Amino acid sequence: MNRVKRPLTLIRPREEDYHRIEGGGGEKPKWVLTGEELLDKAVKLQKSLRLVVNEERIKAYALIQVSHILKVCLDSSATAKTRRVHIVEFLQTKNRNPVIGLKGHDALLVEVDSLPQFEILEERLKNAEDFSRAISCIESFSLYDPQVEILEQDVFYKIKLLDFGDHNINERNAEKMTLMLKAHELDFSGTTYLEGGPMIYKLKNIGAAQIEDLRNTPEFGLVEELVPMPSFSIELDSFRSTQPVPSIHRDPDVHYAKLGVLDTGIAELESFKPWMVERRFSQYILDSLDFGHGTQVASVALFGDLLEGTDWVGSDGFELVDCAVIPNGHNTQIDEDELILNIKEAVTMFSDVQIWNMSFSLMDTFCPDAYSDFAKVLDELQTKNDILICKSCGNDFKFEKDKHKPITQGSESVMCITVGSVAHKQRDGDYSMIGHPSPFTRKGPGPNFLIKPDVSHYGGNARIDPQSQTVIPTGVSVISKNGAIESTVGSSVSTPRVSGLACRLTQSMDLSFEPLLIKALIIHSAQYPASLKLSDPDRVNLCGYGIPSSIQDILHDSPDEITLIIRAALVNGKKVEILDFPMPECLIENGFYRGQITATLVHKPLIDPSQGLEFCQSEIELQFGSYSYKQQRDMGKSNVLNPIGRLGSKNVFTDSVISRRAMQYSHHFATERALVYRGKYHPVKKYVADFDTFTAVSKQRYLGQKRSWYLHLQGLYRDQITRKYRDMEKELPPLEYCLVLTIKDPSEKNRLNDEAIQKLDYYNFWHQSLQLSSEIQISV
């Protein structure tokens, strides 16, 4: 039987596949209070607001012209966009949106810059009927109290000012705070992490008494948080081995991709020389660099498969760019502000580097109610520079068996590919089975149940010696700074396997670099090992979407499958509605469709650093399924904007169609299960549907051979970002996305790929095979 591999297929939606988004309407929702309930709630809120107005701090703020920050606590269900619109309309007393941030799940931070604005809010509460929707959602008012964490010993502290969403206001507030800190004769420095963002100060060797003095100043009303300055650390132990050092031949006629290694520096070893870019980055003198950790990380990225004698990733070479952003190496700590400055300068210096590896972690775990400043910086860097960062999820080398700490700050970046670690082998006493999460790897989810890590790879195993309580590792092979082969463990060495894979994908495709495409292909290929025995939540929280495939498997289809790739952008007000989806009829067996569908959708989100858990301000909804027939629609109706619709449709990426009993015995689900992630405003979504696991009723209703198939993509924007662009009198930006969708025939009849291509031609889709670079030969 002919099993020749086929290239993946690029397609574009047709002109007729773009439909207008139709608005809804209807009566007042049931959750809106009426009558006595509404009046009682309004009186309660009037009392709450009056307590705020009578606070002494209000007068102090007025004296130095500092805005009052009102904390508006909401009902837990009031975060939906339809409700937020009415809340903001109630709070808005001037021509611009007063909401400057979101705290936790249910508290808005609202700027009130004068006492008359409080009076306006009071009058609106008296006219409860006119603002019934907003009043139904609001629970209380209070003045915002900055988050403060004070340690007993003198340490460096971080003061972060509130972000007012206006560069000029942020600058004026920084001037006030700087003058106050100087007046208190404090030793400090200031910088901004984000473009146009709030000032962040580092206070040096300050004690608890001095902090209390600061808290009593009116300027402290400008502060969002005062906490110990976060620091980053390098953790990697090595154990000597006796393997020969590998090498890869470099072809002088080939244009290779570059991997930027943000680490402690890479040693000048003979095996690295052909692949090292001569120009390097570091703010530190040579004597202060260690090179140990950075060399090990770079060796796994470049030589990982050769060191292990495996085909986990691929073994083509690529160039290494050495950026030593951390001094002194092992067990070093570096403050957050210094590290961020180093990373920014490195990325600016090497503007031609598109993929970066970051195998170090903040010492603290992230806060589940907000995104860390470090994660926001990483996301801004990737958004503005069109790059992709692969970031380790962090380690815990004080681990207990079957217990994992949460991911570290920065690992919750929505744009990074965050990488966890799984065990590649198991020796006597090791805590993890092969293919299971390493005992030291950290777990997700991220804020707002964001799936983190995104993927995992092989980073070693370990156990704790019961006598000495020391870590006994079962490591993966690395090259030391002295050129010897050693073994080590950590997500630090699983991460460069993924960044190395990203580089090899980039240089293997005859396309300009697209981070969304690279990220989508890696996540789309990821699978769980067949041996993995974890509950659904643990599987996702510890391994992400699984272990990515090798480059050979990612870039090619078998004859019994087809992978379709759509790279496009959704314009506000338009959606993609493909009603002639080319579902191959060879999947029909005994009158019903069989098959396995895997879809991965990655989009470049609009982000707002001030919005807490609502950091991601955009969303793309994906549906794929079958329907009964097309219907002509009455265009005379006010809310009907599209002449053709679908009737009897069913999205197959839902839990409701799946038989729980079938899932238990399906080999497909033993490795991947049903991935149905509906978390709104997540930039990555992956779905897997196996038609063999559908309930009998679902098969009868939705998989019959007379059914037609559709694909639906629709962009959504949060109210905050919508108002922001409206205030600037600008159109909302299109949402760039990459969708990778694979249809597989479980019977392996060897004709699905050909038939799908014929269907694309029949329905007049533009399509072409994914072109691979002639310079890089991919063995299949």
Side-chain angles (χ1 to χ4, degrees):
M1 183 177 289
N2 180 16
R3 302 292 296 172
V4 175
K5 294 279 189 176
R6 314 290 178 87
L8 310 186
T9 304
L10 301 172
I11 71 168
R12 291 180 192 152
R14 304 160 302 177
E15 189 64 35
E16 62 263 35
D17 297 326
Y18 287 96
H19 293 216
R20 296 170 68 185
I21 295 175
E22 299 172 344
E27 300 176 354
K28 183 178 288 190
K30 294 180 180 179
W31 53 264
V32 178
L33 299 177
T34 58
E36 288 298 321
E37 279 188 301
L38 175 63
L39 295 177
D40 289 344
K41 183 70 172 294
V43 170
K44 172 189 169 185
L45 292 178
Q46 287 177 55
K47 292 178 180 178
S48 177
L49 191 62
R50 179 50 53 186
L51 289 174
V52 173
V53 174
N54 291 332
E55 280 208 39
E56 288 297 321
R57 284 185 290 172
I58 292 289
K59 299 174 184 177
Y61 293 164
L63 287 175
I64 63 166
Q65 296 182 319
V66 169
S67 293
H68 320 103
I69 303 304
L70 191 63
K71 183 178 178 181
V72 182
C73 291
L74 308 177
D75 179 85
S76 58
S77 60
T79 56
K81 180 178 178 179
T82 51
R83 303 194 187 190
R84 181 68 58 81
V85 168
H86 302 290
I87 297 168
V88 176
E89 287 175 352
F90 168 81
L91 295 170
Q92 187 165 343
T93 57
K94 291 191 173 182
N95 290 331
R96 66 187 189 91
N97 184 359
V99 177
I100 67 165
L102 176 73
K103 279 293 178 183
H105 295 270
D106 55 3
L108 298 179
L109 300 186
V110 179
E111 179 190 6
V112 182
D113 60 13
S114 65
L115 289 175
Q117 288 180 264
F118 285 111
E119 296 170 3
I120 294 173
L121 295 179
E122 283 194 89
E123 284 300 316
R124 289 176 179 176
L125 289 170
K126 293 175 183 177
N127 298 315
E129 287 292 343
D130 294 338
F131 298 95
S132 59
R133 295 183 187 229
I135 292 171
S136 300
C137 296
I138 297 173
E139 292 296 315
S140 66
F141 302 104
S142 62
L143 274 183
Y144 174 66
D145 288 313
Q147 175 190 344
V148 177
E149 181 183 346
I150 306 175
L151 302 182
E152 292 183 5
Q153 67 273 28
D154 290 0
V155 296
F156 287 9
Y157 281 89
K158 169 184 173 182
I159 287 185
K160 178 183 175 184
L161 299 189
L162 287 158
D163 185 358
F164 283 75
D166 183 298
H167 177 64
N168 294 326
I169 295 176
N170 286 340
E171 278 196 336
R172 287 199 299 271
N173 291 342
E175 290 172 4
K176 290 185 174 74
M177 179 59 67
T178 299
L179 289 173
M180 187 271 286
L181 294 175
K182 287 180 178 178
H184 281 71
E185 298 182 344
L186 297 174
D187 185 5
F188 69 93
S189 59
T191 186
T192 54
Y193 286 3
L194 304 172
E195 185 178 328
M199 182 66 75
I200 293 176
Y201 296 91
K202 177 158 70 175
L203 306 183
K204 304 174 183 179
N205 296 316
I206 184 173
Q210 292 169 295
I211 291 176
E212 285 301 327
D213 289 341
L214 294 181
R215 295 179 71 176
N216 292 324
T217 64
E219 288 86 356
F220 205 72
L222 299 170
V223 172
E224 180 178 349
E225 64 176 17
L226 188 154
V227 296
M229 175 59 77
S231 58
F232 290 74
S233 65
I234 291 291
E235 294 180 295
L236 202 64
D237 290 321
S238 302
F239 309 89
R240 192 57 60 97
S241 178
T242 57
Q243 292 176 241
V245 176
S247 63
I248 302 174
H249 171 70
R250 175 167 183 147
D251 187 335
D253 297 325
V254 170
H255 177 73
Y256 291 98
K258 292 182 175 71
L259 174 65
V261 182
L262 298 163
D263 218 283
T264 63
I266 304 171
E268 295 185 2
L269 301 176
E270 197 64 34
S271 54
F272 285 106
K273 276 186 179 179
W275 304 103
M276 293 295 298
V277 172
E278 184 176 352
R279 191 182 181 202
R280 300 180 177 219
F281 169 85
S282 184
Q283 294 285 37
Y284 307 106
I285 61 173
L286 191 63
D287 290 345
S288 70
L289 298 178
D290 179 82
F291 299 111
H293 189 269
T295 302
Q296 294 178 10
V297 166
S299 71
V300 174
L302 189 59
F303 301 116
D305 278 9
L306 298 177
L307 288 167
E308 297 295 333
T310 63
D311 294 317
W312 290 339
V313 176
S315 56
D316 294 319
F318 49 83
E319 293 186 333
L320 294 169
V321 178
D322 180 15
C323 296
V325 295
I326 299 178
N328 300 326
H330 184 67
N331 291 330
T332 289
Q333 293 182 19
I334 178 173
D335 286 340
E336 179 185 72
D337 60 333
E338 181 182 341
L339 178 63
I340 286 174
L341 178 62
N342 290 344
I343 292 171
K344 285 184 173 182
E345 291 188 5
V347 170
T348 301
M349 178 175 172
F350 291 100
S351 57
D352 60 333
V353 175
Q354 297 158 326
I355 299 169
W356 295 84
N357 188 91
M358 188 177 292
S359 287
F360 50 79
S361 298
L362 194 67
M363 298 180 68
D364 298 327
T365 57
F366 83 105
C367 171
D369 291 335
Y371 289 86
S372 66
D373 289 327
F374 188 51
K376 294 174 185 177
V377 169
L378 297 182
D379 287 330
E380 183 180 78
L381 281 171
Q382 290 172 96
T383 299
K384 292 185 177 299
N385 296 283
D386 209 29
I387 60 176
L388 178 63
I389 297 174
C390 297
K391 168 80 177 71
S392 61
C393 72
N395 303 310
D396 170 28
F397 289 120
K398 297 179 181 178
F399 56 83
E400 298 178 53
K401 189 173 183 179
D402 298 326
K403 292 184 179 180
H404 298 266
K405 288 186 178 178
I407 57 174
T408 56
Q409 289 188 35
S411 305
E412 81 279 23
S413 155
V414 300
M415 302 289 286
C416 285
I417 298 182
T418 304
V419 185
S421 175
V422 295
H424 67 306
K425 62 175 65 171
Q426 184 180 24
R427 299 189 305 191
D428 288 345
D430 281 348
Y431 285 177
S432 298
M433 294 186 290
I434 295 174
H436 280 61
S438 303
F440 45 78
T441 195
R442 291 182 176 247
K443 70 174 182 179
N448 204 25
F449 303 102
L450 183 73
I451 292 175
K452 289 289 172 177
D454 296 278
V455 296
S456 294
H457 224 302
Y458 298 109
N461 206 339
R463 61 186 174 90
I464 300 291
D465 181 85
Q467 303 300 322
S468 64
Q469 291 298 302
T470 58
V471 176
I472 308 298
T474 298
V476 297
S477 296
V478 299
I479 300 175
S480 74
K481 63 181 179 181
N482 299 318
I485 302 297
E486 298 179 342
S487 65
T488 192
V489 297
S491 61
S492 291
V493 286
S494 62
T495 301
R497 299 192 199 282
V498 177
S499 60
L501 175 60
C503 282
R504 292 178 173 101
L505 283 171
T506 298
Q507 66 190 17
S508 297
M509 295 185 292
D510 193 14
L511 295 170
S512 58
F513 176 72
E514 295 183 23
L516 291 181
L517 174 61
I518 300 299
K519 186 175 183 179
L521 288 173
I522 289 173
I523 292 175
H524 188 75
S525 77
Q527 297 188 46
Y528 301 118
S531 60
L532 186 60
K533 295 177 175 63
L534 292 175
S535 67
D536 284 352
D538 285 344
R539 187 191 304 256
V540 174
N541 291 338
L542 284 161
C543 302
Y545 295 103
I547 301 172
S549 301
S550 67
I551 187 170
Q552 293 92 336
D553 290 335
I554 291 176
L555 291 176
H556 296 88
D557 280 330
S558 299
D560 51 43
E561 65 182 355
I562 188 166
T563 298
L564 305 175
I565 300 172
I566 299 177
R567 300 170 297 148
L570 283 170
V571 178
N572 184 32
K574 289 289 187 73
K575 62 182 178 180
V576 170
E577 192 83 4
I578 299 176
L579 299 179
D580 300 315
F581 188 85
M583 197 70 162
E585 294 178 4
C586 64
L587 292 172
I588 297 172
E589 186 176 301
N590 298 323
F592 296 95
Y593 280 92
R594 294 187 65 201
Q596 297 165 356
I597 315 296
T598 303
T600 302
L601 175 65
V602 180
H603 90 277
K604 184 176 181 179
L606 300 180
I607 55 179
D608 188 333
S610 70
Q611 293 304 300
L613 286 175
E614 296 183 359
F615 177 62
C616 289
Q617 292 279 302
S618 61
E619 154 82 343
I620 295 184
E621 176 187 80
L622 167 65
Q623 292 183 24
F624 176 81
S626 67
Y627 65 98
S628 300
Y629 56 87
K630 296 178 184 177
Q631 180 190 39
Q632 291 287 337
R633 305 175 73 227
D634 184 359
M635 296 290 289
K637 294 183 177 179
S638 60
N639 63 336
V640 175
L641 303 178
N642 302 297
I644 303 294
R646 47 181 160 86
L647 278 186
S649 59
K650 182 64 178 180
N651 177 19
V652 300
F653 293 143
T654 59
D655 287 326
S656 61
V657 298
I658 300 171
S659 163
R660 297 297 167 186
R661 179 177 176 81
M663 285 170 60
Q664 295 174 6
Y665 299 102
S666 167
H667 171 72
H668 177 63
F669 281 114
T671 57
E672 286 189 305
R673 299 249 355 177
L675 302 179
V676 180
Y677 298 122
R678 298 191 205 85
K680 272 197 171 184
Y681 297 94
H682 291 184
V684 176
K685 292 180 169 61
K686 186 172 181 180
Y687 304 84
V688 178
D690 186 336
F691 293 166
D692 285 349
T693 64
F694 278 32
T695 64
V697 172
S698 295
K699 287 181 180 179
Q700 289 287 336
R701 289 179 177 174
Y702 311 126
L703 301 182
Q705 64 182 16
K706 293 184 179 180
R707 302 276 290 181
S708 298
W709 293 82
Y710 75 95
L711 175 69
H712 166 95
L713 292 164
Q714 180 173 331
L716 302 170
Y717 302 84
R718 291 192 188 273
D719 179 63
Q720 185 72 16
I721 201 75
T722 303
R723 289 177 183 274
K724 179 179 178 179
Y725 277 86
R726 186 187 305 154
D727 290 345
M728 295 188 297
E729 298 182 346
K730 292 182 179 179
E731 292 290 329
L732 281 161
L735 299 180
E736 299 176 36
Y737 71 90
C738 179
L739 172 65
V740 183
L741 188 145
T742 297
I743 306 169
K744 185 173 178 62
D745 183 356
S747 65
E748 299 185 353
K749 295 174 183 176
N750 245 20
R751 64 174 189 265
L752 185 146
N753 193 285
D754 290 336
E755 186 177 320
I757 296 297
Q758 292 169 8
K759 282 259 187 179
L760 288 170
D761 288 331
Y762 179 78
Y763 287 119
N764 295 317
F765 282 93
W766 175 92
H767 66 90
Q768 72 174 34
S769 297
L770 179 64
Q771 299 298 307
L772 301 184
S773 173
S774 59
E775 298 175 333
I776 306 292
Q777 298 300 316
I778 304 297
S779 172
V780 295

